[in-house]
Structures are given as C-alpha cells and as structure tokens.
Amino acid sequence: MRGMGAPRRTGWFAAAALVSLAASTLMPTTVAAAPAHPGAAASVIAVKGDRGAWQVQSLGSGRYAVSWTSPTRFPLTSDRPTIVGPAGLALGAPTIGADGRTVSAVVTSTTRPDPAELDVLLSGDRLDTSGDDRLRAGTAQQSAPLDLPGTVTLAEDPATPGPYDVVTSDYELAPLPVDGMPEPIEMRGHVVEPTADSATGPRPLVLFLHGRHGVCYKPGHPNAYTDTWPCPAPFKEIPSDLGYDYIQQVLASQGYATVSVRVNGINAQDYQLADGGADARAQVVEAHLDHWVGLAAAHQVDLGRVVLVGHSRGGEGVNRASIQIPLSAPYRIVGQVLIAPTDFASQTAPYVPTVTLLPFCDGDVSDLQGQKFTDTARDLASDDTSLKSSVLVMGADHNFFNTEWTPGIAAAPASDDWYGDENSTCGTKDPERLSPQEQQNVGTAYVSGAVHLFADDDQAMLPLFDGSRARVASQGSAQTLSHAIGGGRDLRLPGLTTGLSLASGAQTRFCQGDADPQKIASCTYGVNYASVHPHWPESYEKLPTRPFFQMTWTATGQTGGLVLDDPLDLTGRSLELRTIVDPRSTDVDLRVRVTDSQGGSALLTPVGGGTLPSLGDTSDTEKLWAQTLVVDPSTASGVDLTDIDQVDLVSASDSGRIWIADLGSAPATLPAVPGERLPTIDFSDVRIDEGDGPGQTTARVPFEVVGDVARPARFVVQTTGQAPGDVQRFTVDLAPGQTSGSIPIGYTADKRDDYQELVTQIVAWPLRGVMTDDYLGSLTITDDDPRPAITIRPLHRKVAEGEPATWRVRIAHSVDYDLFVNGKVVKGRTPTVKVDDIGEKWISLHTGPVDEHKPLWSFGPMVYEQLREGARTVDISIPTRRDHRDERAESLTLRFGFNGYHSTSTVKVVDPRPKG
C-alpha cells in the first residue's frame, strides 16, 4: 500500500508528527508528574498558534512545568495528547488533567521553554493549531497492491468454523474497586462457548479485552455522548465487549471457551492515570480469571491454557496482566494477541508468546507503538524461546476490528478512525482499503490462528506469523506482512555481536535507532520527512535505543554486510533478516551471500525472489517497518552451513537504502517455552517535608523486586524535575538475589516559600533480566514554609459594554518562582453575560465555536494569568463587547483558585447608553 501526497515537513515536528506518548497533568502548585493531582492551567501570556493556551511555569533551579489547555475536552481515543518539543528539552512522562482539556509535562532546561517550539500531538495532529495536519495532503493518490511473489496459501484455515454447537451467555459480578478511580469498575463477561454436551475435551479459555472508546451514548441521537460514569439515564453503555463476538463464535465452534469483558468504567476514569489505565485493566482481567477458577469444572475449561486478546489499550492491559500473573496462579497464560495496541510503558511479557497486529491505516494509535511488544523482548532473556511476532495488516484501520466501533454495525454511532481524502491511500474509496467485513475476516483468521498455535501447538499456523509469505483463504485479497524474534531463533545484533564486512560500492555503517535527523549517529540523520518509524523512538521519548545496520547503494552488484562474532549454524534452518526499506525509494531487490570461516561462500536468492516493497511513499503513509528477508540456505554448495561467519547483501536493484534490525537462524517449528517469568520491579511514591536545610539534600525513592533475580539484571531510569546538571538518566544494575533498591534524588531544603509541592518523576524501562511492572515512581517535596497573603479584587465593580472586566491579584511579598492564577467563569446573579457579550477573539481561544446566545458560564471557560517571580501584582481581564441592545446590567462572575486561595468575585457589565 503506497502513500498519499502530502507536503514534506522538516525539523523536530516532522520526526514527531505521528508519535504518541504518555501525557501528564499539572496543578498550579505542582510539578506535572503527580498523576493524582487535578488538572490545571495554560497561560494566556504564552499563547501560541490559534487554539488553546500554553502555560510555562518556572519552578526554580532550572525546572519548568509546561501545559496546554484545549478549548474543548479531548476526545476519548486510545492515543493520548502529548507535549512534544525540540531534542534539547527533557520532558517528563505526563497525564491528562481533571478538566479533560489540559495536558502537561515537567521540563528540565537551562532556559525557559518557548511555547513557539512546543506542540500537542494526538494521533498525528497538532491540537494547538487549527485544522488537521493529516488532511494537509497534496494530490490524492490511491495505493497500489503489494507485489509479494512466493506467497503461499495455507491448507489449514483457522477461521473455518468447527463442528461444535455454540451457546452464548452473560454474567455480571459485583463492581471492582480500583485505586485511582472514584467509581468501581463493572464486572461483566460475554461468554461464547461450545454447548455443554459438546465432546470437546478440556477447553482452552480465550479472554478478550476491548480498548478505550466512548462510554455512554443516547439511543436515537447520533452525536449525544457522555463519559460520565456510571452512565446517567437515558444514556446507555456502549457495549464494546460485544465487538469480538464474531471471533468468539468461530473459536467456540472449534472447541474453545471464550469470554469478552467490559471496562467502560476504566475508559471513563483513566485520563488522570500516568500509565493510561494499563494496571487497572490488568486488575480487571485477573479478577475475571479468578472468577473462572470457580467456573472451570462446570464449563470443561482448562485454565492451564489461557490466551489473552486485547485491542488498543486493552492490548496493553492484557500484556500487563501477563507480566503480573505468576506461574503459581491457578491459571496459566500461554499466549496473547494484541490488536493495534498502545504500549506507553515500553513493556512486554517475557516467556509469553505474543502476536501483535498492526493496522497499516491506523488513524488512532498512528505511530504503531505496539511494535515495541516485539522489539523490547529481544534482549531481555537469552533463554526466552517465546515467539514475539508483528503482523502488518495492509488497508486496516484501528476501529473495525471491533464491530461495536464500526459504522453501520455498532449499536452506538461509530466512525472510521482514518482521515484524509476518500480517494487517497487508506481513504474509503481506495481499492486497497479493507471494508469492515474484510478487516474482520483478517481479525478472525489471525486471532484464531494465534490461539491455535499457542493453546494447541498447531505448528501449521506458524507461517502466518514468522515472516513467511503466507496467507489463508478466508482473508480474501487482504495482504499481510510479518516478522518475528524469539521462537528458537539464534540472533546476531548489528554493532553488538557483529562488525562490518568490507563493502564494495555500497555505503554501510552502524547507526543508532532513534529519530533525530540532526544527530549524525542516528539512522534518520539527514532524513527530512515524516513517517511512522515504530522501531525507532523519538529523541524526546528518551527510550533505550538499539544499533542498526544501514546500507545504501546506487547500482546493481554493490555489496555490504556483517561479520559475525560467533558463527551461525544454518543446518536445517532458514536465515532471516529483519529489514526496513526506505520508503523514499522504490521497491528494493537483494541477494544474500553467506560465507563460512574457511572462505567458502554462496550467493543465494531469498524466498520469493528477494524483492522487498517500500511501504508508503509520502509522509502520511510511510512506514519504516521491518519486513523479513528469508533465505533458504539448503541449496548452498561449497559452504559449511554449521560455520557461517559473514552475511553480505548484494544489490539487484539500481538503487536503494535499507536498515537491518537483526539477523539470525530460525527453526521450522517452535520449541517449548520454559516455565519461567522474569522478576519485576515496582516503584513507590514518596512524600516528605522539605525541611529547613540549608542546602542540597538527598532523598531516596525505593523500588521492590518481585520474583527471583537469578542472574545480573539491568534497567534504565530517567528522573524529571531535578535541576539541570543533576543526574537525569542512568542505568541500575541488580545483583543475583537482590530484592529491593532505591533511586537517589537531590533537592534543596531552605526556609523560603516555594511551590507547595515539587514532584520529581521516575520512569523505568527494562534492559536485561528484569521486567517493569509499576514503572512510575515519584518524590513529592512538600513546602513547609509560610506563604504570602493573597487578595483578588475587581479594578472596577461595574464596567460599560466594550470595556474589559479586570481583576487585580496581589500577594503580600514577592516569591522566587512563577505563580499562576486560575479563574473559571461560573453562574452569578441573573442575568449573566452571554457568549456574544464577550470579545470574539477571547471566545475563539477559550471555548471554540459555541452557541453565542447561551450564557458564557454554561461552557465553563477558564482564564489564566502569570505572576512572574519577583512580581507582586497581576491583572486578569475578560474583554466585553458592545452589542447595542437595550438591556439590564449583566453579571460576569469568576471563581478563583490560586496557591491554596479560593474566592468568587463578580463584575457588572452595563449598557453605556443613557437611559430615558
């Protein structure tokens, strides 16, 4: 599938335009990293662009809190709004504010961040700028089908219904209380299973978990939604759990018990959780599995064979459950299928076979971050033989895998999450775009295929997931690509366990797998275009990176490759190279030369002829995603296949550029997976009083190791909120037998009035021998010094139409940090000002398009002002507009919240014309 025309972008935004991260919330008196704090403000002083407002708040000592408030609530999608900026800023991991409109982050910087260099991204669109970046395309261009010679249709189709009659039922349990959520979560399961008299034998259990979608809808009203939980009458819950019934029916007919669970209560309340609700979703999964312990015997269920299937944020949720559930549990997770998942934590479940489906036309999780479930697993444990597979589904969007998110099928109104011209790539009229039925056919085939492989060891399904060019009849003309690590592969890693061979004509190097086009070492150095690059984190993500092999050629016959530190044994195995094709080039054609340690070599043509297609050709659809170049070495003559120590690529196309993530030998069948789980680390949140000091003080944030550290392990930590020059990022090594540890964080203790709370956030990512569970920790320093007295008064209690209503904020003495005043327009004495009584520019910035005849307070607009360090007064103004109507005086009332101070104050707006 090729790309649609769009203007090239340069600079950091081009690299970041389709990336999603976690986001955070900020209270005016708090650094952004504390997820429990309510959301806050954006300063009108720091307005950039034409939507919303930015706040940049000095916390002292080179620490800043930045946030942006949208005129409207953020949509309820799987992706999350993300603050992004230039590479020099160290941005902390954020969450969304309690107002549902504010996204914030802590920044450590030597200079005050400039809002002109910041943006807020959601699914590839800059929210702080009007219009949709994804729609700013050039000439509409439809995609062409991929040419995948050598594709084989498997004889066994996992989507074929089985012989058993099926029965459907539902259960509802007591709601589950979850930390961080005021309302408990519903416990509802939709069960589809073979009838009780079906002679299936013990039945594996397949549990489905839907993702983050709308919560409540009003029947008969296509645009009436609410995320109030529980749903108020006459609103009804959106039955997202019923959206996989089409897969459940097939699996049940084949002898599997299935249940799909509902988590609308999480979707309505997870916006303030720094992990996006992943742990909460895992708790719900485990609670349902606990319930099935009591059901298993009556339903003939074998809880030793449980497969989890999660869609969108549900994918991250079931993966978190797989990490948490120990081998001692009364059920065993033998595999998981993740559909268009988020992975804000960069986690994966070691020793749990995993298939990740990535939709090419995903307009929600548009960066395909679910690729991390495969890549992160590669280096964690040398004895982990679990398959980690990624499958790219061409023409598929994010929503249509769930029928309750699909227009024309869903009970509630639904939409296609892709965007852009209907005639362009991925548009509704693109012949390569999958219809809902075609996409659901793919979902049935690949989910069922993975269940057969993981629960029943049906090795006939392996070619769908291991990089082979394979398909099944039920997927019709839908095209898929796959690659895999694990599964018994013996890998060699560019730049780590390999060196460069002597190139001939081609240019080769090892590059760092990140997306910083300004850094020479980066794989994207000099690449001035935006594209989806799921193997390479953005520079501001600060995630661990990996080296890649890069080769560029300008003529056929040019060569370059890798010398292996340890020879590969290819006897009875295939050679696989996970290979990324530069989307700017046309399809590339390659041959592979293998050489043994004695100098014997053979030039081999890869399976299917050696052609790898470029995936998208413009910024909106380019995918820098690794395809598998598979080589069958059995035809090589004069080569000792047990002793291959050099692998070279030979160009068979005129030009091209590729990157190789890794190469290795792969077995024809999957080996057994060890009954192991890696130890996990859990961080704590620590709160302490500042104290009087004086000077630099060190606090320690503890972490716990759950499980046994059998060999040296390592993870990486980033702390955000410390002053520049302090340690911000470092590795932590665990010794065998270690059960706990702590992270040192420095801060300054004094007798001055500081921010009420100063939060340093800790984020951890696994590297080797350990997995994170609760990967976020924090240190909250509570200021214990007296605060200055505050007063807020109107400059004039009565103003004429056309004059600004102004309030003056005064503090008793100046402080050495920024303060922000937040005011919310609330209902005062009637009559109150209406929208059309206020200046148009102010309305556009603070509410967006709304009914101008309604009261201003009914839209809850916020006003913000900044009191810079050293200053004692600041004015907040709302411009009124003269409407030339004969009317009574109207009230404009603000409720202020400022540094622990709360008050309500009213200004009267009067008709300036003389009466009588």
Side-chain angles (χ1 to χ4, degrees), residues 179-480:
D179 288 344
M181 296 191 173
E183 296 291 337
I185 311 307
E186 75 275 28
M187 287 288 293
R188 180 182 176 88
H190 174 67
V191 180
V192 185
E193 60 187 333
T195 57
D197 59 354
S198 296
T200 61
R203 303 166 181 177
L205 178 66
V206 184
L207 184 148
F208 290 78
L209 179 66
H210 66 83
R212 193 171 193 261
H213 191 67
V215 174
C216 311
Y217 76 106
K218 190 175 182 180
H221 296 75
N223 297 313
Y225 292 93
T226 180
D227 55 9
T228 300
W229 181 256
C231 297
F235 288 88
K236 292 185 176 182
E237 284 191 56
I238 296 176
S240 294
D241 56 313
L242 304 183
Y244 314 103
D245 183 84
Y246 69 101
I247 305 177
Q248 290 181 265
Q249 294 287 335
V250 172
L251 287 170
S253 75
Q254 297 169 346
Y256 298 93
T258 72
V259 59
S260 182
V261 304
R262 186 179 293 184
V263 287
N264 281 330
I266 293 178
N267 288 346
Q269 303 179 87
D270 66 1
Y271 55 90
Q272 290 191 82
L273 299 180
D275 72 349
D279 183 63
R281 291 178 173 88
Q283 290 181 54
V284 170
V285 168
E286 293 173 51
H288 277 278
L289 291 176
D290 289 340
H291 176 64
W292 273 89
V293 172
L295 299 179
H299 291 256
Q300 305 176 53
V301 168
D302 177 6
L303 288 178
R305 293 182 291 161
V306 176
V307 177
L308 303 179
V309 181
H311 183 189
S312 195
R313 289 206 197 182
E316 189 165 11
V318 301
N319 179 79
R320 191 74 168 269
S322 293
I323 291 171
Q324 293 176 356
I325 295 171
L327 293 175
S328 59
Y331 35 80
R332 175 80 172 270
I333 310 303
V334 297
Q336 56 183 6
V337 186
L338 315 177
I339 305 171
T342 59
D343 190 5
F344 299 130
S346 295
Q347 293 175 327
T348 192
Y351 302 101
V352 178
T354 303
V355 165
T356 303
L357 302 183
L358 303 172
F360 186 89
C361 301
D362 195 323
D364 186 345
V365 187
S366 56
D367 59 349
L368 304 186
Q369 63 184 263
Q371 177 59 39
K372 291 186 287 188
F373 289 108
T374 299
D375 290 352
T376 301
R378 192 190 70 180
D379 308 320
L380 288 176
S382 59
D383 65 340
D384 183 1
T385 57
S386 66
L387 181 75
K388 295 294 192 293
S389 167
S390 295
V391 179
L392 187 65
V393 183
M394 309 305 293
D397 77 347
H398 187 85
N399 284 349
F400 290 177
F401 286 109
N402 186 309
T403 58
E404 292 302 326
W405 301 359
T406 303
I409 304 175
S415 64
D416 178 1
D417 55 278
W418 190 251
Y419 43 83
D421 191 300
E422 64 182 6
N423 294 303
S424 298
T425 297
C426 293
T428 55
K429 291 188 177 180
D430 179 3
E432 297 305 309
R433 174 65 193 273
L434 299 184
S435 69
Q437 185 60 61
E438 289 171 329
Q439 183 166 330
Q440 288 152 23
N441 289 343
V442 174
T444 302
Y446 280 79
V447 172
S448 299
V451 169
H452 291 190
L453 180 62
F454 299 153
D456 289 322
D457 194 29
D458 185 354
Q459 301 273 343
M461 295 295 97
L462 182 57
L464 293 177
F465 309 110
D466 68 356
S468 301
R469 291 185 175 177
R471 60 186 304 280
V472 291
S474 63
Q475 72 184 78
S477 61
Q479 301 177 94
T480 56

Side-chain angles (χ1 to χ4, degrees), residues 43-45 791-796 804-811 819-822 842 863-868 871-878 894 896 898:
S43 172
V44 293
I45 291 179
T791 58
I792 302 178
R793 299 283 186 274
L795 279 186
H796 305 284
T806 302
W807 289 262
R808 175 155 293 171
V809 179
R810 183 184 300 275
I811 59 175
L819 290 173
F820 278 83
V821 184
N822 308 324
W842 192 95
V863 293
Y864 320 101
E865 260 310 342
Q866 182 179 30
L867 192 65
R868 290 293 185 98
R872 293 184 57 195
T873 63
V874 68
D875 291 345
I876 284 184
S877 295
I878 297 179
L894 289 182
F896 292 96
F898 170 44

Side-chain angles (χ1 to χ4, degrees), residues 77 98 130 178 233 251 322 392 445 623 628 828 856:
T77 61
S130 294
V178 174
L251 287 170
S322 293
L392 187 65
K623 302 291 190 293
T628 310
L856 178 63

Side-chain angles (χ1 to χ4, degrees), residues 550-859:
Q550 178 180 318
M551 174 172 161
T552 307
W553 66 93
T554 57
T556 59
Q558 295 181 348
T559 66
L562 299 168
V563 176
L564 314 183
D565 292 352
D566 295 311
L568 272 178
D569 184 354
L570 296 179
T571 308
R573 300 165 71 94
S574 61
L575 174 65
E576 295 181 353
L577 301 93
R578 288 203 299 159
T579 306
I580 300 169
V581 178
D582 188 338
R584 297 185 304 170
S585 64
T586 57
D587 301 350
V588 301
D589 196 3
L590 295 164
R591 304 294 179 265
V592 177
R593 178 179 290 115
V594 294
T595 305
D596 63 30
S597 62
Q598 301 303 310
S601 68
L603 183 65
L604 303 172
T605 299
V607 175
T611 297
L612 294 177
S614 61
L615 302 175
D617 56 10
T618 62
S619 60
D620 284 39
T621 56
E622 290 167 340
K623 302 291 190 293
L624 284 160
W625 184 81
Q627 305 167 57
T628 310
L629 193 65
V630 181
V631 180
D632 179 2
S634 63
T635 60
S637 60
V639 179
D640 182 358
L641 292 180
T642 67
D643 190 30
I644 300 300
D645 71 351
Q646 184 169 323
V647 177
D648 290 288
L649 299 176
V650 181
S651 61
S653 52
D654 291 337
S655 63
R657 174 159 64 170
I658 55 93
W659 296 269
I660 292 178
D662 40 56
L663 78 162
S665 66
T669 59
L670 294 181
V673 179
E676 298 284 347
R677 291 290 185 265
L678 281 186
T680 59
I681 53 173
D682 289 324
F683 276 91
S684 299
D685 296 318
V686 174
R687 177 181 292 269
I688 61 175
D689 289 335
E690 174 192 326
D692 295 335
Q696 188 73 7
T697 304
T698 299
R700 305 192 75 90
V701 175
F703 62 84
E704 178 187 7
V705 180
V706 179
D708 297 327
V709 179
R711 48 188 176 270
R714 173 174 288 188
F715 62 94
V716 64
V717 163
Q718 177 177 303
T719 62
T720 306
Q722 294 171 289
D726 288 351
V727 175
Q728 296 289 326
R729 183 181 175 84
F730 50 91
T731 58
V732 178
D733 289 297
L734 300 177
Q738 187 169 343
T739 59
S740 63
S742 62
I743 304 300
I745 296 177
Y747 70 95
T748 301
D750 55 40
K751 296 182 179 181
R752 299 192 309 271
D753 172 42
D754 300 311
Y755 272 92
Q756 184 176 359
E757 292 179 343
L758 182 63
V759 179
T760 296
Q761 187 183 63
I762 297 173
V763 184
W765 299 284
L767 291 178
R768 185 181 68 247
V770 70
M771 176 47 58
T772 57
D773 184 6
D774 189 352
Y775 62 98
L776 296 166
S778 65
L779 171 68
T780 301
I781 308 295
T782 302
D783 184 54
D784 51 9
D785 300 309
R787 323 206 74 180
I790 301 166
T791 58
I792 302 178
R793 299 283 186 274
L795 279 186
H796 305 284
R797 296 193 176 275
K798 186 181 294 185
V799 298
E801 290 180 347
E803 296 178 351
T806 302
W807 289 262
R808 175 155 293 171
V809 179
R810 183 184 300 275
I811 59 175
H813 59 81
S814 62
V815 295
D816 57 356
Y817 55 88
D818 291 350
L819 290 173
F820 278 83
V821 184
N822 308 324
K824 183 178 181 179
V825 180
V826 296
K827 185 178 181 180
R829 288 192 176 183
T830 57
T832 63
V833 296
K834 298 180 177 61
V835 171
D836 64 357
D837 292 319
I838 304 299
E840 292 181 2
K841 194 171 184 180
W842 192 95
I843 290 295
S844 175
L845 179 66
H846 290 81
T847 71
V850 293
D851 187 343
E852 65 179 10
H853 301 297
K854 287 192 173 183
L856 178 63
W857 64 264
S858 65
F859 300 101

Side-chain angles (χ1 to χ4, degrees), residues 157-168:
D157 191 332
T160 302
Y164 304 110
D165 292 332
V166 169
V167 62
T168 299

